[in-house]
Amino acid sequence: MTSAITRREAMFGAAATAGSLLLAGGNAGAQTKPTELRVGITTFLSGAASVFGVPARNAAELIFEDINKAGGIGGVPVRAYFVDEGPGTDHLVGEFRRLVQNEGVHIMFASISSGSCLACTPLSDEMKKTTLLWDCGTQRIFEEGKHPFAFRTQGYGTPEVLAPLLYLLKHKPDFKTLAVINQDYAWGRDSWELWKAGMEALKPGVRVVAEMFPRFGAPDYSTEVTRLLAARPDVILSTSWGGDLVTLVRQAAERRLFDRSTFVLPVAEASMQTLGKTMPAGHVIGARGDHWNNHPKPKDPAKLAKFVEAYRAKYNEYPIYPCHHMAQAIAAMQAGFARAIAAKGGGWPNDQELANAFRGLTFDTPTSSITLREDGQGLEDQIVGLSSFTEKFPFAVPKDMIIFPAAMVSAPVGQKSVEWLKTLKPEFLAQVPAPVAG
Amino acid sequence: MSGSANSLSRPAGAAPARSLGEGLPALLGIAALVLVAWAVPWLKFVLTIALAKGIAVLGILLLLRAGQVSFGHAMFLATGAYTVAFVAPFQTEALLLLPLAALLATLLGLAVGLFVVRYRDIFFGMLNLALSMVLYSLLEKLYEYTKGTDGIRVSVLTFAGLRPERETQEWLMFGLALLLAVLFGLLVRAYLASPMGRALAGIKTRETRLEFMGVSARRVLLFAYVLSALMGGTAGALVAMTSRHVTPQLAYWTSSGELVFIAILGGAGSALGPFLGAAAFELVRVYAAAAVADAWQMILGAVLLLVILFAPGGIWGMLAGRLRRSA
């Protein structure tokens, strides 16, 4: 019904077709080694979540540069295609198709936003394209269905909420009242549901004095702070992140809310640099994983230091957790390709062979190693600690850290997180490892 | 606002371009679409979405004829989309879901329309905007039912009882969108040529005259509004069935803005305008995003600015002008 397809578009189309036909030739039959390994990466380049998306893209560019200098993956140089999650789902799923069908990417990295992940993962099934879920946290992905081509190379909501809860129960076992102030969107609601289920099982009888869900991106929390000052909860939970968390902490600190209540901030790490010394000491902070700059016993300290220094040298800031999650996805990709190529005796894997290589894969990160379970979920340890200041960093880092082994805080394969959390018993606390000074 | 709407459709209003001039471009357009969808498989998806949005923008075009701009039309799109998402687990038949979604959107259009057609210009636009944001908030906050911002996955659909392969299904959706686009295009053309349609222009120029002639302006506008809601719902159902994932974003004011943007881009002069605009919008966005993932918004904005500055009649205005000159 349209004649918007001008000559230029037609040429664009023709060129694109020629490209895709060439690719089709390369992908079919005897899987010859491609001239480049194409990686499609969806990340936020615009909007509020670009505070995560842009550093993650920076990290990817940095690491790919390194990989290519060292000869690429399996001798093939890597090329990344970045796609913005900002415009919404219908645009993103179109972009996913473009990357797979037109650019001929060999592997996809999907999404910061849980909504994006929920939309892209079924596409990976349909298009039979290995997709690494590199940052999104929703537990719904692998708990509501099987996705043979999707793998999450990091932790997810359940361990990221349960670990701070266990830490709180160890650190301040006698708290009686709690308030929650989360962003009003899926993660804010989901994380509260997980927390509540865990808390009611592990420490029944805590009184919830306020449940607040200010709108996403709210610029002012004065009413909420006033209410919290009046309610005097022992503990205040907030899984907010990015600019929202920075605003909340600043306004709460200004009015001395941190002196009255203990805060639990599971996604604090990414905002610590912005907050600097404004972040009060002695509150529970998490990082959606174990990648703190002051990790007490990283598996490969030299590698961690090298990554952090290289990132700082290039971008003039410390890497935050999305950078590490990106690095994890890339490490998984390297290990997965290596395994698939080895399994084929040096040949280049097709889509199915590549996916097979990821099932049960273990790969190293600078701080630890991560195993992808049979359902595709990665097991990433969690470190939670108390905010503190040291000579070394101009921002808060945790002390008295507890390293939670991933298997301990993740719902077992085939179980739904909320149901599983409800079955926990207070004795579970005895399994929590002792804190390590950091 | 009404000022801009006036200037938008003036070139077309001045010349009743409803001549034979539309048939050939339409046929060429259909052929071009099918050709592109066949030659570049991934564009099939983008073009299906473009056709769906074109259908929704056709509704906006009706209201533009009356000089009214709705900044909340995405609410009908979202209604259609969420109807599909909610009902799909129980009834997977696409050919039933589509009319159901259209019906619900029409009913909502009637309920909302009864209220908003009493207002004109900025009040009309803003009331629509407000109501669409109410729907957005509901979709976002009724977390138990709508899964909030994460949205709902639309389960695999059947077509006339069959469950086709992915490739076939993509063609089916594309074909369905194209068919509906043609049907609604023809319907809108016939409607605009009818006395009811002509009366819309009367609302824009001087409403009192209409009333003196014994025509109820409110009823005329209500009919157009309900028709546009029907098309919005159909578009939403198509979007949901194509992208297979719905989020409250669909009802957000930026989505409504996008529809108005497309209407301006395509030009309000012809039933072809919305489809030209939607295809141009989606293609510019997708190629801009591919070329510069960081700055595609800027390119899109520049395109709109250029169109407003140099082609106030939109893409259709440009084409029609060229056709008239060559004829």
Side-chain angles (χ1 to χ4, degrees), chain A residues 217-421:
Chain A
D220 177 52
Y221 294 99
S222 47
T223 32
E224 284 84 1
V225 172
T226 307
R227 228 182 114 188
L228 289 170
L229 283 169
R232 290 177 169 265
D234 297 330
V235 175
I236 297 172
L237 165 73
S238 179
T239 61
S240 305
W241 50 262
D244 288 7
L245 181 65
V246 171
T247 314
L248 174 66
V249 170
R250 281 192 179 139
Q251 294 182 359
E254 191 89 343
R255 295 175 61 190
R256 304 258 162 214
L257 188 53
F258 281 87
D259 299 354
R260 286 196 181 180
S261 307
T262 302
F263 271 72
V264 179
L265 306 170
V267 201
E269 186 254 15
S271 300
M272 288 299 111
Q273 285 182 74
T274 321
L275 281 167
K277 302 282 182 197
T278 318
M279 177 69 204
H283 298 269
V284 181
I285 52 178
R288 294 196 66 204
D290 66 343
H291 22 62
W292 287 100
N293 285 303
N294 64 336
H295 191 298
K297 41 180 183 182
K299 189 172 183 179
D300 190 342
K303 201 170 158 192
L304 179 64
K306 187 176 157 249
F307 176 60
V308 172
E309 285 318 310
Y311 189 91
R312 285 189 67 196
K314 193 161 179 193
Y315 302 111
N316 200 25
E317 59 186 16
Y318 281 89
I320 52 176
Y321 81 75
C323 305
H324 289 280
H325 283 171
M326 181 57 81
Q328 284 165 216
I330 295 172
M333 177 175 97
Q334 283 180 291
F337 268 100
R339 192 178 181 192
I341 291 171
K344 219 181 172 181
W348 192 258
N350 64 24
D351 285 332
Q352 186 62 56
E353 287 158 347
L354 183 61
N356 292 345
F358 280 95
R359 188 102 15 227
L361 179 75
T362 299
F363 58 94
D364 285 332
T365 71
T367 48
S368 177
S369 65
I370 294 176
T371 301
L372 302 175
R373 294 196 307 204
E374 64 259 39
D375 62 349
Q377 176 57 52
L379 292 173
E380 179 184 17
D381 296 345
Q382 301 288 327
I383 295 187
V384 181
L386 293 178
S387 55
S388 68
F389 290 91
T390 60
E391 303 266 293
K392 204 171 160 221
F393 302 100
F395 51 87
V397 289
K399 64 169 189 180
D400 302 338
M401 289 176 260
I402 296 184
I403 306 179
F404 294 91
M408 172 189 174
V409 283
S410 305
V413 178
Q415 292 198 32
K416 299 224 174 195
S417 287
V418 176
E419 304 309 316
W420 175 70
L421 286 169

Side-chain angles (χ1 to χ4, degrees), chain B residues 13-25:
Chain B
R18 199 170 301 103
S19 56
L20 282 174
E22 278 177 356
L24 190 63

Side-chain angles (χ1 to χ4, degrees), chain B residues 1-2 4-5 63-64 67-71 121 124-126 128 260:
Chain B
M1 189 186 333
S2 75
S4 70
L63 301 174
L64 275 180
Q68 307 305 318
V69 187
S70 163
F71 282 114
D121 303 334
F124 179 83
M126 290 296 127
N128 273 295
V260 176

